[in-house]
């Protein structure tokens, strides 16, 4: 190599200068690499010396003025230096990384004797608990569980239940209309229409679920839950209705709280009765929850109106039935002595936790 460089004095000069430059960059880089104290610093040095705009790039530019014969040789020198530095970088990097990992492991010692952070225990929502309990009781009484959609047709929610369009009885329920023909179901009673049109009597059906009304105060929430009970057979009377509800209420609340039936009106039942249960907050003495009456209404009931049966294709001369629809939050309020229906939907964990079993 040296011999070749000595061919002409001019090229000798340039090449020796170049070689000296390469050697000096190389040794400067070597000592810098070896002195680096972190892998990050080392990487920055690598960029500085070997990177695209690094020190060797300047040398490469100078090579442009060399003769054709000298260029390959000078190129070889640069490559050798770069390769050596690359190898040195690798070994310095792995040494630094090992040291850094050891330091990290030492500083992050895990103290297994420290007490743990307790994981919060989930609990079923009281509405789910009560829905499950009610469904279980009715199942034991021979009722099969059905569900239906929350967005219901006007036909199933009203018309099939003897509430024609523009009839004043529509005002009984503050309805959220989706469009001309669909509503957010205002009660679970549309399951009656669905059942009568899809199943053959005799039948006993219980249908729990979410319902919606444009209404909100201490005892009304725009979204609440109901359970619908439906019984259709050849001979069904108010006596069966009262017996069924009294037994059901006793199973759910225990035998202590009294119930009473008040004559009422629903377009889909005749006769109709409202079912009240003694208020558990005040045990019947009178309080905010029961508006000082001692009684809380849990829902409506009655004998299914012949128009409802015939609308869905059942012959009212052949079939009779009773139905009831109870508010699930209402029943939870009475059972647990809760004085504001809005607590159920406020997501207050301290309230909800009390129901964990
Ligand atoms: N659907 C009625 C309401 O939400 C409650 C009701 C009353 C349901 C009488 C019934 C019934 O099945 O027979 O106000």
């Amino acid at each position: 190599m040296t011999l070749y460089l000595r061919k002409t004095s001019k090229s000798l000069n340039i090449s020796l200068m170049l070689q000296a430059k390469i050697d000096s960059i190389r040794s400067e880089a070597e000592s810098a690499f070896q002195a680096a104290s972190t892998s990050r610093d080392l990487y920055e040095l690598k960029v500085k010396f070997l990177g695209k705009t690094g020190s060797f790039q300047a040398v490469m530019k100078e090579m442009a003025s060399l003769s054709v014969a000298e260029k390959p040789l000078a190129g070889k020198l640069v490559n050798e230096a770069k390769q050596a530095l690359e190898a040195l970088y690798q070994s310095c990097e792995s040494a630094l990384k090992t040291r850094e990992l050891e330091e990290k492991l030492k500083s992050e010692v895990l103290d297994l004797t420290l007490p743990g952070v307790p994981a919060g225990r989930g609990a079923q929502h009281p509405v789910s608990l009560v829905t499950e309990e009610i469904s279980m009781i009715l199942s034991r009484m021979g009722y099969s569980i059905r569900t239906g959609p929350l967005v219901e047709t006007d036909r199933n929610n009203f018309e099939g239940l003897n509430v024609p369009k523009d009839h004043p009885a529509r005002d009984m329920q503050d309805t959220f209309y989706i469009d001309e023909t669909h509503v957010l179901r205002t009660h679970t009673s549309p399951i009656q229409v669905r059942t009568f049109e899809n199943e053959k009597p005799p039948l006993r059906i219980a249908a729990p679920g979410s319902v919606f009304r444009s209404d909100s105060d201490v005892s009304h929430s725009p979204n609440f839950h109901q359970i619908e009970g439906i019984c259709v057979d050849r001979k069904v009377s108010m006596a069966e209705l009262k017996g069924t509800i009294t037994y059901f209420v006793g199973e759910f609340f225990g035998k202590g709280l009294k119930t009473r039936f008040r004559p009422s009106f629903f377009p889909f039942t005749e006769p109709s009765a409202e079912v009240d249960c003694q208020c558990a907050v005040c045990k019947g003495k009178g309080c905010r929850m029961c508006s000082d009456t001692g009684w809380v209404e849990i829902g409506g009931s009655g004998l299914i109106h012949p128009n409802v049966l015939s609308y869905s294709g059942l012959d009212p001369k052949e079939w009779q039935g009773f139905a009831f629809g109870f508010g699930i939050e209402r029943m939870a309020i009475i059972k647990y002595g809760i004085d504001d229906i809005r607590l159920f939907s406020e997501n207050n964990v301290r309230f909800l936790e009390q129901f964990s079993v």
Side-chain angles (χ1 to χ4, degrees), residues 261-266 271-274:
F261 290 78
R262 273 181 298 116
S264 184
F265 169 77
F266 296 103
S272 306
E274 247 150 338

Side-chain angles (χ1 to χ4, degrees), residues 173 186-189 192 213 224 226 228-229 266 268-269 272-273 299-304 322-326:
Q173 303 187 348
T186 55
H187 49 181
T188 42
S189 301
Q192 293 191 27
R213 298 207 193 155
F224 58 103
Q226 288 187 334
E228 191 81 7
F266 296 103
F268 29 91
T269 42
S272 306
S301 66
L303 294 188
I304 297 170
F322 67 71
F324 55 90
F326 294 158

Side-chain angles (χ1 to χ4, degrees), residues 37-81:
S37 55
T38 67
S39 56
R40 179 164 250 280
D41 289 352
L42 181 68
Y43 179 75
E44 273 162 21
L45 289 167
K46 179 185 176 184
V47 173
K48 179 180 165 198
F49 288 105
L50 299 170
K52 275 198 182 128
T53 54
S55 312
F56 279 106
Q57 212 49 38
V59 177
M60 300 295 263
K61 270 196 193 135
E62 275 180 42
M63 277 168 55
S65 59
L66 294 183
S67 71
V68 178
E70 285 168 322
K71 270 185 187 159
L73 194 65
K76 197 173 165 224
L77 284 176
V78 171
N79 279 344
E80 271 171 12

Side-chain angles (χ1 to χ4, degrees), residues 257-326:
L257 289 177
K258 286 187 188 148
T259 53
R260 70 176 186 190
F261 290 78
R262 273 181 298 116
S264 184
F265 169 77
F266 296 103
F268 29 91
T269 42
E270 183 57 41
S272 306
E274 247 150 338
V275 183
D276 293 346
C277 186
Q278 237 174 1
C279 177
V281 177
C282 60
K283 303 278 181 293
K285 287 193 197 77
C287 67
R288 184 165 89 118
M289 185 63 229
C290 60
S291 311
D292 287 323
T293 61
W295 295 94
V296 186
E297 182 194 323
I298 59 172
S301 66
L303 294 188
I304 297 170
H305 198 291
N307 288 356
V308 174
L309 294 172
S310 54
Y311 186 93
S312 296
L314 295 182
D315 181 357
K317 292 203 180 70
E318 193 182 351
W319 301 106
Q320 296 179 320
F322 67 71
F324 55 90
F326 294 158

